[in-house]
Amino acid sequence: MKTTNDFPEGIWYNTSILAGVYQSTLMVPCGQKKEDKTSPGDSRCGIVETCRNASAKPGGRENAHCGGSAVRVGNTMAEVKLVNVKKIYPFVSGEEKKSKKKKKGEEPAKEKKVNLQITDKGVVAVQEFNLDIADKEFIVLVGPSGCGKSTTLRMVAGLEEISEGELYIDGKLMNDVAPKDRDIAMVFQNYALYPHMTVYDNMAFSLKLKKTPKAEIDRKVREAAEILDITQYLNRKPKALSGGQRQRVAIGRAIVRDPAVFLMDEPLSNLDAKLRNQMRAEIIKLRERIDTTFIYVTHDQTEAMTLGDRIVIMKDGFIQQIGTPQEVFDHPANLFVAGFIGTPQMNFFDAKLVKNSDGKYAVAIDGINVELAEDKQARLSAKNVPEQDVTLGVRPDHIMLCADGVKGTVDVSELMGSSVHLHISTHGHDVVVIVPTNGNAAHFPMGSEVNMIFGGNVAHVFSKETEKNLEW
């Protein structure tokens, strides 16, 4: 499938939702058929249906013109609610039979490891997704590739059909509402800019389709350009811009629409590391200036931790945990969340959860007994957790080197300037320990023997069977 960058300048082409789920698909006159390739006239409404079919007013919002986007009315609340939302991709015709066929005498092919649930209806990409997003909240969906985060965002946008469940925006059911009528704006990973238009025209495009007065278009475009510091580029075309500048234009094109809900699908993943850090800071500042609800998708846990009021961690279509960045960091719900959130990732050890003679919980590892903190004691006692083998989790910056503790051997020493990252082999596990240098050169040769210890307040215990945090 071609992207906008594949098309030459000066050509009218079909590009669904390029105005950002902004209008609809073709720039054609009202009632003009899709086959008519003539240059669009002043009466274009931005949709392929006729005006009669596009005059619905979903959710009580008034359309600005025939086929135009819904317009925010007053101080509209932008609460988003997903109730038992599920996405199932049906099998391609004959796919099941084809996969089961084998030639005579041929050994069955080894099945690929599939983590997503497969049912009679098809592959379940998103499972029973439940989430209440408050007005003006910044929610981040984060997880590895294939976890269902972008699919969920596309269902909110209306670009994917919801197989089961309900989606509400401002209390209105949106399952069957067209994307252009949901009062949303979306920023895509690949920018999706019109290459034959200037920056100004790209940002103004959706407003022109809505027949917005020229003076208002000019005001909104220049206000957004000032916010994003791209005023000097308004007369340039996308090919004359850097990646970061193009992404700013894509964000600006969404801003001018004054949406109730702002959707962002991995907008920084195409940028280099330095520019990504810069744009992340820009989005944080932008959020303070734009009074709306954000839903942001990323696979980068650093973006999730720095941007979100709450983050939703997903894996294989399931929600693993919902919470503030600090809650998720301090109290991971399971082994996956513990390993996914935090850089470097949490270290894991084979240990045993025991009770001391005074009834206090402790973790025993390599002959060392570490009593857990009082808050952890209370949660484990409330659940009456029995003694058992556990997976012990401790973050790299919570481990200290000492004279007597868990023994290990240094494999790799990485000098980071203010600290040294030690990769230590212990009991079959690779453990990372962050050692501050405190301005002094620290030298840990390969093969050095070290001892490690940690406090009971930073130890996390996970079930060997369920991988869930035993405190919760």
Side-chain angles (χ1 to χ4, degrees):
M1 181 177 178
K2 287 188 175 183
T3 65
T4 56
N5 295 328
D6 297 323
F7 292 93
E9 296 184 14
I11 293 179
W12 297 105
Y13 48 84
N14 185 345
T15 160
S16 63
I17 49 75
L18 273 193
V21 189
Y22 297 46
Q23 290 298 111
S24 185
T25 48
L26 276 178
M27 300 182 290
V28 297
C30 294
Q32 182 177 309
K33 294 182 179 178
K34 184 176 180 180
E35 291 75 23
D36 188 351
K37 296 294 190 298
T38 56
S39 178
D42 293 336
S43 61
R44 61 179 179 258
C45 66
I47 58 172
V48 293
E49 297 88 1
T50 63
C51 293
R52 290 189 302 276
N53 296 332
S55 60
K57 300 176 182 178
R61 299 183 187 276
E62 296 182 1
N63 287 339
H65 72 287
C66 162
S69 284
V71 179
R72 293 183 72 178
V73 181
N75 295 321
T76 305
M77 299 293 283
E79 296 176 349
V80 180
K81 187 174 184 179
L82 296 95
V83 183
N84 297 324
V85 169
K86 182 181 285 190
K87 178 61 184 179
I88 303 174
Y89 288 106
F91 294 112
V92 178
S93 180
E95 186 176 334
E96 284 182 293
K97 295 179 181 178
K98 195 173 182 181
S99 63
K100 293 179 181 178
K101 282 184 178 179
K102 62 175 182 177
K103 293 180 181 179
K104 191 174 181 181
E106 183 180 270
E107 291 186 8
K110 291 183 179 179
E111 292 187 6
K112 293 181 180 179
K113 186 177 180 181
V114 178
N115 294 321
L116 295 176
Q117 182 185 3
I118 299 177
T119 66
D120 294 337
K121 296 180 180 179
V123 179
V124 185
V126 178
Q127 295 267 15
E128 301 293 333
F129 194 100
N130 289 281
L131 179 65
D132 289 348
I133 303 173
D135 183 42
K136 300 176 181 59
E137 187 176 16
F138 198 123
I139 285 286
V140 179
L141 308 184
V142 64
S145 297
C147 70
K149 56 189 184 295
S150 288
T151 301
T152 302
L153 190 76
R154 290 172 64 84
M155 286 192 286
V156 174
L159 305 180
E160 292 278 1
E161 183 182 354
I162 297 174
S163 304
E164 296 178 19
E166 297 168 337
L167 166 68
Y168 295 91
I169 299 178
D170 297 341
K172 306 295 190 300
L173 183 64
M174 290 287 167
N175 287 45
D176 299 320
V177 175
K180 66 185 178 61
D181 295 323
R182 296 192 180 193
D183 198 6
I184 60 175
M186 187 165 180
V187 178
F188 297 91
Q189 178 179 345
N190 63 350
Y191 318 136
L193 300 177
Y194 293 107
H196 64 288
M197 293 183 182
T198 64
V199 168
Y200 184 100
D201 290 333
N202 264 283
M203 293 174 65
F205 182 65
S206 63
L207 300 179
K208 289 178 180 177
L209 290 179
K210 294 198 299 181
K211 305 293 185 182
T212 305
K214 287 185 178 180
E216 187 178 348
I217 291 176
D218 188 69
R219 178 182 61 80
K220 286 190 172 184
V221 169
R222 294 191 182 280
E223 281 181 358
E226 187 176 347
I227 290 173
L228 296 165
D229 195 24
I230 54 174
T231 303
Q232 64 271 37
Y233 307 126
L234 288 177
N235 293 323
R236 292 191 189 181
K237 290 185 178 178
K239 66 181 181 182
L241 303 176
S242 68
Q245 290 163 353
R246 291 181 192 181
Q247 193 57 275
R248 282 195 180 104
V249 175
I251 293 172
R253 188 179 54 183
I255 290 174
V256 298
R257 300 189 64 249
D258 188 26
V261 184
F262 213 128
L263 309 179
M264 291 186 164
D265 188 7
E266 303 202 43
L268 308 184
S269 60
N270 286 349
L271 306 179
D272 60 56
K274 181 179 178 181
L275 197 52
R276 193 180 305 132
N277 291 337
Q278 181 184 340
M279 284 301 299
R280 189 168 67 235
E282 292 291 336
I283 291 175
I284 293 172
K285 289 187 283 186
L286 178 67
R287 187 267 171 97
E288 297 299 320
R289 302 182 68 171
I290 297 180
D291 198 23
T292 191
T293 304
F294 280 78
I295 306 179
Y296 187 103
V297 161
T298 182
H299 64 272
D300 186 337
Q301 54 95 15
T302 303
E303 288 179 29
M305 295 290 286
T306 54
L307 293 173
D309 294 326
R310 285 190 298 159
I311 59 180
V312 180
I313 298 117
M314 298 181 67
K315 178 190 176 188
D316 298 337
F318 288 93
I319 293 177
Q320 302 295 309
Q321 187 172 358
I322 302 173
T324 66
Q326 199 63 53
E327 288 172 350
V328 171
F329 185 85
D330 291 339
H331 308 294
N334 55 43
L335 212 56
F336 172 77
V337 175
F340 189 80
I341 298 296
T343 305
Q345 76 167 40
M346 183 181 287
N347 298 305
F348 298 111
F349 305 85
D350 294 321
K352 187 175 183 65
L353 181 67
V354 298
K355 281 188 175 182
N356 293 331
S357 56
D358 57 359
K360 295 287 186 69
Y361 284 100
V363 285
I365 175 174
D366 199 16
I368 305 298
N369 186 290
V370 179
E371 187 174 299
L372 299 179
E374 289 301 322
D375 58 334
K376 295 180 178 291
Q377 298 281 351
R379 287 190 286 267
L380 291 171
S381 297
K383 295 183 66 177
N384 196 26
V385 177
E387 292 184 324
Q388 59 185 286
D389 290 329
V390 296
T391 299
L392 169 67
V394 186
R395 299 202 179 275
D397 44 354
H398 292 158
I399 297 178
M400 298 167 288
L401 299 184
C402 60
D404 185 28
V406 180
K407 293 175 174 54
T409 304
V410 176
D411 288 334
V412 178
S413 175
E414 298 176 319
L415 180 60
M416 308 299 287
S418 61
S419 63
V420 176
H421 289 197
L422 299 180
H423 292 257
I424 299 171
S425 178
T426 176
H427 300 283
H429 293 276
D430 180 40
V431 175
V432 178
V433 179
I434 299 178
V435 181
T437 59
N438 296 322
N440 299 315
H443 185 56
F444 296 90
M446 186 181 298
S448 300
E449 297 293 330
V450 294
N451 292 284
M452 300 170 285
I453 196 63
F454 51 89
N457 60 323
V458 294
H460 305 271
V461 288
F462 302 93
S463 167
K464 284 280 191 183
E465 296 179 1
T466 65
E467 296 188 350
K468 291 184 178 179
N469 192 327
L470 291 174
E471 295 179 46
W472 310 96

